[in-house]
Every structure is written in C-alpha cells, then in structure tokens.
Amino acid sequence: MKTDIRLPLGLPEFTVLKQEITENKVVIQVETVDPPERCPYCGFQELKKHDQRLRSVRDLPIHNRPVYLIIQLKRWHCTNCQEIFDEHLPSVPKSKHQTHRFRKYVFDMCHGVTISYVSRQVHLPYKTVERIYYDLAEQEINKVESSGCIGIDEIAVRKGHVYETVVTDLVSGQVHEMGANRDYESALDVMSTLCEQDIHLIVMDMWRPYYKAAQTLFPHATIVIDKYHVVQKVNQAFDVIRKSVSKELKGVKNGRFALLKRHFRLTDKQNKKLDEYHSQSEELAYAYYLKEWFYDLYEQHDSNQAETFLDTWIQAALQSPFKPFHDFSKTLVTWKTHILAYFRLPYTNARTEGTNHKIKNLKRRAYGYRNRERFRLRVKLECGCFQQDHSLLHFASA
Ligand SMILES: [Zn+2]
C-alpha cells in the first residue's frame, strides 16, 4: 500500500522530494535546502554544482517501520582552487550509513539488552549495531562527577584468579573506571583517570599495591580500610586455628558453621554444639573467644575508644598461643591508622559489592567478553554515567 501522507522529518537541512510508505518500510527522498556558502579548502564563495549522486542512510523509524533517507547528494566545484567536494550534512556523520539521531537511538536501545536483540529490533546486521554501540560508547562516557569518596576493589571475573580492579564512587555507586589485574601499575592506571577530581576519601582492602597507588596519586586523601575486609581477616585467622585444633577432636570438623557464626546468631542447638567443642578443647574456646571479642571493635563509638580497644585486643592476641592471631595482630598494627579512620569517616565498600555482582552478570550475559576494551566500555556505561532508559529494561531477558 502506498500513501501520499507527508510525515515531518525534523531535519532542517533537508527538503523532502518524495515519500513512499509501504507495509514494511518508509523511503524518503530528500535534498539539502541550502548550497554550501564557501569552499572548505580556500573559503572562496563562488561555487559551481559539479554532479549529484544518491546516498542512502537509515533514519529513526516511523510507525515501527525502518526509514531510509535517499539523499540527492551534490558535489561542488570551487572556481578558485578547483577542488571538488561533497556538501556537508550536519545530521549524517561522514562515511556512515545512518543519521546521528538514528545511531544514538540504536545506542540507547542497547542499554541492558544484548546486541543481537537490538539487531533484530532495528533490522540491522549484528556487526553494524555492534559498531554503532562501541563508536558511540567512547563519546557517551562523559566523565562522571565524583563525590570525592571512592572505593577501590578487586573482582574475580573468571575462575583461576583473574582479577579486575574497579573504582566506584561511594556516594552514587557508579563505576568510574575498571582495569585488568590488581597490581600497583593497574591500580595507578585506573585511579589516574580521577586525578583531576578532588578525591579526599578512598576505601580499600589491606592490599599493598592499591595503597601505594592511592598514596602516589592522592597523598592528601584519607585511606579507610573496609571494615568487612578486617573482620573477614579475623575469621580467616580463626579458621586456620580451628582446622589445626579440630584434627585432634571428634566431631568438630562438622562444627565449622557454629564456630564461624557470630555467637548471637547461633540457634540453641548450635549453642549446645559449641559448648561441647569448647569443653573438649580449651584451646578452641580461647581462640573462639578472641575472635568474637574482636568483632566488638566496630561497636566502639569513636576513634579513641576504638584505638584503646584495638591495642588491648592486639596485646591479648599476642599473648595467646595462636600464630595466625599473631600474624593478624601484626597486620592490624601496620594498618591501624587506616582501620581507625573508619570511625571518623564510616564508609565501606559494601556498595561496590553490588556493582561487582552486576559486572559479573554483564560478563555472563555476553558469554564473556573476548575484547577487554569493549567489556570495560560496557561496564562503564551500564554501571556508570549513562542514564538508564527504564522503558527498555523489560527487554533485558531477551
Ligand atoms: Zn576553493
């Protein structure tokens, strides 16, 4: 079915010559309204039309039908410098087969869904959608305004200790940057993207390379050790002790759960079990008590109280017979200032954990990105600055 209804184009540089709307597409023949004012080479104003050819580009769909603009593209001849040039089209990027606005439309559509889904929706080859997405991605990643509080964390993206370093804004939760590995150089790379921003707080694990990189780039920022990482360390130390003690005891092997759980979360049955283990081994009871006691650190009201607590605990741990607690105490002494900094600036990397989850999902959705750079872009766009178009989210399962 053909119709003569004229649809507004909204591209002021063109005048519509002919429009053809059929069942499955819209073809619009256009030409530019104004000739070029000057020669782009010499600025001369006397130009002659040289020739004309047709150029077909995709534009925004109309009534769910793909739109093809057939542009009568003119070439001009400069009577001064003799150069021949194409007329400039503000709405079509050079040597591309789509208008700017159509490319942006395709790019926006890709948010939260797969490239192949969009490819089917817009009737474009997969490769084309992919190219549009990654062409625009770099442009769209405008620098995220930082709150000044960032978290740096590692995430295991594949089995076998393959890590990414992720820097997240602790207030907005957005990903600032992501880079391969978790060594000093990669941490420098990732964090140096924020050098122009006023970073005054950095939350991290007790991980030397991150610490060194943060100190190099932001010497005046306060470094806070993530509290969840600290308590994880005490649990790990206790677990080593538990394993060695329980070798000599009956039934304690299965008691891991009760022993590692916080005492107030235990069920009656687990409490009974715990009593049994403790009556069997004074050593285990001793270690368990030290571990549980350590958790009170984060119940302290200010950094002075916390410091007194920490000193007392470290003394007690050093007097205990447990090597893992001795080692942990040494770690605490090394990082003490930054552990205590939490009591002045109570920030954690808890939000980063959520983002890490999202990154892993992205990885899974794309069956693993073989191209690192593309993976990085996708993460920054999906977990970062790009404002999500929620209307598209229900397609996400596609
Ligand atoms: Zn010229």
Side-chain angles (χ1 to χ4, degrees):
M1 176 190 69
K2 288 183 182 179
T3 143
D4 277 336
I5 301 166
R6 284 282 166 98
L7 297 163
L9 195 56
L11 297 172
E13 78 212 67
F14 294 122
T15 177
V16 175
L17 302 172
K18 202 174 151 197
Q19 215 170 47
E20 195 183 314
I21 305 173
T22 65
E23 206 80 28
N24 45 24
K25 66 179 176 184
V26 178
V27 178
I28 306 171
Q29 285 198 33
V30 298
E31 67 174 354
T32 47
V33 182
D34 299 312
E37 278 178 14
R38 302 170 174 278
C39 164
Y41 297 96
C42 70
F44 203 64
Q45 286 178 311
E46 262 170 56
L47 307 168
K48 267 208 223 146
K49 199 170 133 186
H50 181 72
D51 62 7
Q52 173 170 303
R53 60 211 153 90
L54 297 179
R55 182 175 166 195
S56 169
V57 300
R58 281 288 299 274
D59 193 30
L60 293 180
I62 297 174
H63 299 317
N64 288 323
R65 283 165 229 188
V67 170
Y68 298 85
L69 293 184
I70 311 295
I71 305 166
Q72 297 203 355
L73 192 72
K74 290 164 214 128
R75 286 206 295 176
W76 296 84
H77 171 226
C78 172
T79 55
N80 180 46
C81 70
Q82 312 304 323
E83 286 286 352
I84 290 163
F85 58 92
D86 280 350
E87 59 188 339
H88 170 65
L89 304 174
S91 50
V92 187
K94 225 179 161 198
S95 67
K96 299 285 187 233
H97 302 290
Q98 309 88 20
T99 57
H100 279 297
R101 64 183 187 184
F102 180 69
R103 292 166 67 79
K104 179 73 169 76
Y105 167 81
V106 170
F107 173 80
D108 286 354
M109 240 185 137
C110 290
H111 194 84
V113 300
T114 60
I115 302 279
S116 58
Y117 170 78
V118 176
S119 155
R120 289 192 300 275
Q121 288 294 304
V122 297
H123 311 285
L124 272 181
Y126 180 93
K127 282 277 166 203
T128 309
V129 175
E130 191 182 50
R131 215 174 307 123
I132 292 173
Y133 183 79
Y134 290 106
D135 277 358
L136 263 73
E138 276 293 3
Q139 300 167 26
E140 292 290 321
I141 297 173
N142 32 17
K143 285 259 186 281
V144 187
E145 267 306 301
S146 168
S147 66
C149 306
I150 57 168
I152 180 165
D153 205 359
E154 65 188 31
I155 107 159
V157 282
R158 251 187 293 145
K159 283 195 183 115
H161 301 280
V162 179
Y163 291 98
E164 297 274 340
T165 292
V166 182
V167 172
T168 316
D169 191 282
L170 290 179
V171 175
S172 68
Q174 295 174 319
V175 170
H176 280 306
E177 195 49 84
M178 187 178 86
N181 304 323
R182 51 169 186 165
D183 53 17
Y184 173 67
E185 274 74 26
S186 26
L188 267 189
D189 271 357
V190 168
M191 281 199 278
S192 61
T193 55
L194 286 159
C195 265
E196 276 159 34
Q197 315 226 19
D198 178 27
I199 302 299
H200 49 84
L201 173 91
I202 306 169
V203 176
M204 63 175 70
D205 288 355
M206 294 181 273
W207 180 244
R208 230 352 99 186
Y210 287 173
Y211 179 77
K212 268 174 67 191
Q215 286 241 305
T216 307
L217 294 169
F218 308 105
H220 303 295
T222 304
I223 292 172
V224 175
I225 301 301
D226 186 42
K227 87 172 191 190
Y228 299 104
H229 187 238
V230 177
V231 296
Q232 188 196 340
K233 288 279 175 205
V234 77
N235 243 349
Q236 283 170 356
F238 172 73
D239 206 32
V240 175
I241 301 164
R242 180 193 64 82
K243 276 179 194 153
S244 81
V245 173
S246 61
K247 269 182 206 153
E248 298 141 32
L249 296 176
K250 277 188 231 148
V252 176
K253 224 173 207 163
N254 308 322
R256 184 173 181 266
F257 194 63
L259 285 161
L260 290 178
K261 220 170 162 185
R262 295 301 320 276
H263 66 92
F264 51 81
R265 292 215 181 99
L266 293 175
T267 61
D268 286 349
K269 207 176 151 197
Q270 285 170 334
N271 248 320
K272 237 184 110 199
K273 265 246 144 75
L274 195 67
D275 286 344
E276 273 173 41
Y277 303 142
H278 288 172
S279 61
Q280 281 184 63
S281 163
E282 246 177 59
E283 219 185 342
L284 191 63
Y286 186 178
Y288 179 82
Y289 163 73
L290 275 175
K291 175 203 65 141
E292 283 297 305
W293 182 25
F294 183 82
Y295 276 88
D296 289 346
L297 170 65
Y298 288 101
E299 307 295 318
Q300 307 304 309
H301 294 293
D302 59 43
S303 103
N304 285 337
Q305 269 190 22
E307 184 169 14
T308 310
F309 178 93
L310 209 55
D311 289 341
T312 316
W313 192 90
I314 289 170
Q315 280 309 313
L318 288 174
Q319 281 160 19
S320 79
F322 309 115
K323 168 104 175 30
F325 279 158
H326 298 171
D327 296 343
F328 178 57
S329 294
K330 282 172 206 154
T331 309
L332 290 176
V333 172
T334 310
W335 295 93
K336 193 171 146 186
T337 315
H338 306 291
I339 293 170
L340 293 175
Y342 169 81
F343 293 88
R344 283 180 291 113
L345 297 158
Y347 284 86
T348 72
N349 271 347
R351 282 197 77 159
T352 315
E353 290 293 307
T355 308
N356 290 354
H357 193 69
K358 209 168 162 188
I359 293 173
K360 283 181 192 167
N361 276 340
L362 270 176
K363 186 103 184 175
R364 202 172 313 138
R365 197 175 77 198
Y367 309 111
Y369 281 75
R370 258 160 292 169
N371 182 328
R372 276 222 80 258
E373 182 52 22
R374 290 191 166 179
F375 179 46
R376 183 189 140 259
L377 282 174
R378 191 82 174 180
V379 166
K380 284 184 72 171
L381 287 164
E382 302 262 331
C383 310
C385 53
F386 186 68
Q387 286 310 303
Q388 208 154 288
D389 183 349
H390 290 278
S391 65
L392 288 172
L393 284 183
H394 63 276
F395 293 132
S397 54

